Amino acid sequence: MTQQDTTARAPGGTMAADQVFQVETHGIDPIPDEDRHGSAKDLFWLWFGSNLTFTYVINGALAVAFGLSFWQATGVVVVGGLSFLAISAAGLSGVRTGTATLVISRAAFGVRGNWPAGMLNWVVSIGYTILNTVVGTLALEAFFADLGWESGHTGRALALLITLALTFVVALWGHATVQFAERWIAYVLALGFAALLVFLLPGADTGKAAGLPGASGWSLACVVMLAGPFSYVPMPADYTRYLPRATSMRSLTSYGALGGFVSSVALGVAGVAAATQTDMTDAVAGTEQLLPGWFQPLFLALVLGGSVTNSIVTLYSSSLNLQVLGVPWSRSKAIIISAAVTAAGSLCALFLTDFTSSLLSFLSLLIIVFAPWGGVFLTDMLMRRCHYDPPALHAGPDGAYWYRSGYHPAGVAALLVGMAFAALTCDSELWTGPLVAPLGGADLTLLGSLVSGLVYWTLARRTVIPHTDLS
């Protein structure tokens, strides 16, 4: 549980822990001050680039499919974008501790109590990597078809291999290369997706919806739109742990939130606009037919690029997650496990199941886990004001976060209560909670985060206090 990477030194004694196009030598071990670098502005490009993904177009289209009008769906998209304020603010914990989010969450759940939630969050991150890999693969396969190469399963398999390779290589190199790639890929993708908006918005039907969407339509749209940002809750510190300790919370929050907001809202609105004009059951094909012929190959390249930028971030974090779970390998070796599971899951999604129907089921069901987890973690962070005892996070039984036999009763209890509430009020193809019908079809799984947060505050308000460094 406390396995740490060993930081390598370049010849001459200089640190070579985090350089572009070199394998990062740090893992979940605390980043020393001499290795810290960068500024809060880097977070804009990280969150902007990683959210230039076609998944948000799909989510926007789903909001219209649930019965919302153009303006109603756009409102939900904006609310989803604003949630990046919380995601970005959570990165302050990484600046203060120099370690990954799922190490810091030991303070809320205990070292052993953190393990089950850590395992489930690893599943979430891999699930999103699979989703984006599949979207990118389908786009590249369609690009092959435009070139006249109709090769069936062989073409799809080759497209999958290329998509996985583009993702894996960058994530393998590590933090500095991830940030570098997100920035430079974002420059190109931003221009392309801006053109996409120009083509889609003029034809959007901005009139009223055919009927009232009802509680079910509103709640499902909110769940789908917020599921993406919520899935990042276990990740922010992974990308702020290298920032200098003097980095302010205001700058860190504002730059990161702006990046995530701009890209997610722009692409969400594009999906809303497209869905008011055509059938978006197959979102890539539906959007493509609304575009001029000359732009269609470029559009497919945008889909592929956006899928890769998002997958890079989730795949990288999954390797840190595995170290938290106790895998006794370096980060660069642990990522091989995540890559292999991603490849296997993508193969199943592409060759064994219908992807479009699986997407909604995946998003609406997994929020049962990560919404309550996020509620406990964020509440704990606020109660401690991001002041932790960094050595204790790695100390195991000898540390302050071992609690009772490695479990923090308040955190574990709050998580279970939140998950129970979310499960009772979840409405998905795979599971419908018994309270959904009495609530008029409303899906209230998102409120599981508030429930778990309130329960945690009630149970822990007298014992959880900010750490004071007396050294």
Side-chain angles (χ1 to χ4, degrees):
M1 295 245 182
T2 59
Q3 185 272 338
Q4 300 180 16
D5 268 342
T6 300
T7 302
R9 291 180 180 271
T14 58
M15 300 301 294
D18 188 41
Q19 297 184 18
V20 177
F21 303 133
Q22 293 187 21
V23 176
E24 177 191 6
T25 57
H26 280 301
I28 62 172
D29 53 306
I31 307 300
D33 289 342
E34 59 266 26
D35 280 356
R36 295 194 179 210
H37 59 87
S39 69
K41 293 180 181 179
D42 297 330
L43 298 177
F44 172 85
W45 294 108
L46 175 80
W47 292 114
F48 178 72
S50 63
N51 286 284
L52 284 172
T53 170
F54 193 73
T55 302
Y56 286 106
V57 176
I58 298 174
N59 292 347
L62 285 171
V64 175
F66 295 143
L68 274 64
S69 69
F70 176 88
W71 292 113
Q72 290 169 338
T74 297
V76 174
V77 169
V78 171
V79 170
L82 290 173
S83 66
F84 278 100
L85 284 166
I87 304 303
S88 189
L92 183 61
S93 59
V95 176
R96 294 271 172 84
T97 63
T99 192
T101 303
L102 284 169
V103 174
I104 300 167
S105 62
R106 290 170 175 169
F109 300 100
V111 176
R112 286 178 172 168
N114 188 59
W115 198 95
M119 185 66 198
L120 291 171
N121 277 308
W122 179 77
V123 173
V124 170
S125 65
I126 290 299
Y128 270 93
T129 307
I130 291 171
L131 286 174
N132 282 289
T133 298
V134 170
V135 171
T137 299
L138 293 176
L140 188 54
E141 181 187 24
F143 181 77
F144 289 160
D146 286 348
L147 295 177
W149 184 20
E150 299 286 352
S151 56
H153 287 343
T154 301
R156 177 168 291 190
L158 177 60
L160 174 60
L161 181 62
I162 293 173
T163 304
L164 287 171
L166 291 172
T167 304
F168 174 74
V169 170
V170 175
L172 174 67
W173 270 322
H175 175 268
T177 309
V178 167
Q179 289 199 318
F180 177 86
E182 294 292 342
R183 175 191 289 265
W184 287 98
I185 297 175
Y187 290 154
V188 178
L189 293 181
L191 291 174
F193 279 119
L196 180 70
L197 273 171
V198 170
F199 292 129
L200 295 180
L201 282 178
D205 181 0
T206 58
K208 295 182 179 180
L212 294 175
S216 176
W218 280 106
S219 62
L220 286 172
C222 287
V223 166
V224 168
M225 211 62 62
L226 288 167
F230 261 74
S231 70
Y232 288 121
V233 174
M235 301 181 194
D238 301 1
Y239 302 99
T240 59
R241 72 195 204 280
Y242 278 96
L243 292 177
R245 294 181 189 275
T247 305
S248 71
M249 182 174 182
R250 176 179 295 181
S251 61
L252 181 147
T253 302
S254 59
Y255 280 114
L258 181 62
F261 178 85
V262 171
S263 53
S264 65
V265 169
L267 297 189
V269 171
V272 171
T276 64
Q277 303 173 63
T278 188
D279 179 14
M280 291 286 282
T281 303
D282 183 337
V284 173
T287 304
E288 189 176 13
Q289 69 181 13
L290 297 174
L291 304 173
W294 64 268
F295 188 75
Q296 290 177 7
L298 296 177
F299 162 69
L300 295 173
L302 290 176
V303 176
L304 172 62
S307 299
V308 168
T309 59
N310 190 267
S311 294
I312 287 170
V313 170
T314 53
L315 188 62
Y316 173 79
S317 287
S318 74
S319 64
L320 297 175
N321 195 160
L322 286 173
Q323 288 192 309
V324 176
L325 294 175
V327 174
W329 292 354
S330 66
R331 180 208 60 82
S332 57
K333 291 181 179 178
I335 203 171
I336 297 173
I337 299 175
S338 295
V341 176
T342 298
S346 300
L347 283 169
C348 292
L350 287 164
F351 295 102
L352 300 179
T353 61
D354 178 70
F355 172 64
T356 304
S357 62
S358 297
L359 175 64
L360 176 58
S361 299
F362 177 84
L363 292 176
S364 59
L365 193 61
L366 283 186
I367 203 166
I368 291 175
V369 177
F370 57 76
W373 185 93
V376 174
F377 172 72
L378 293 175
T379 301
D380 180 81
M381 187 185 72
L382 290 173
M383 294 171 70
R384 298 180 193 275
R385 300 173 190 171
C386 281
H387 289 287
Y388 301 87
D389 180 355
L393 292 170
H394 300 270
D398 298 325
Y401 304 124
W402 187 253
Y403 301 109
R404 297 181 184 176
S405 301
Y407 298 89
H408 188 197
V412 174
L415 175 64
L416 293 175
V417 171
M419 289 176 62
F421 175 87
L424 290 171
T425 59
C426 175
D427 182 16
S428 74
E429 292 184 8
L430 298 179
W431 167 258
T432 299
L435 296 183
V436 172
L439 291 170
D443 184 329
L444 302 182
T445 47
L446 284 172
L447 295 183
S449 60
L450 296 178
V451 171
S452 64
L454 287 172
V455 171
Y456 183 74
W457 179 83
T458 301
L459 297 176
R461 68 185 188 278
R462 294 175 180 169
T463 57
V464 171
I465 58 175
H467 172 71
T468 302
D469 188 358
L470 300 178
S471 59

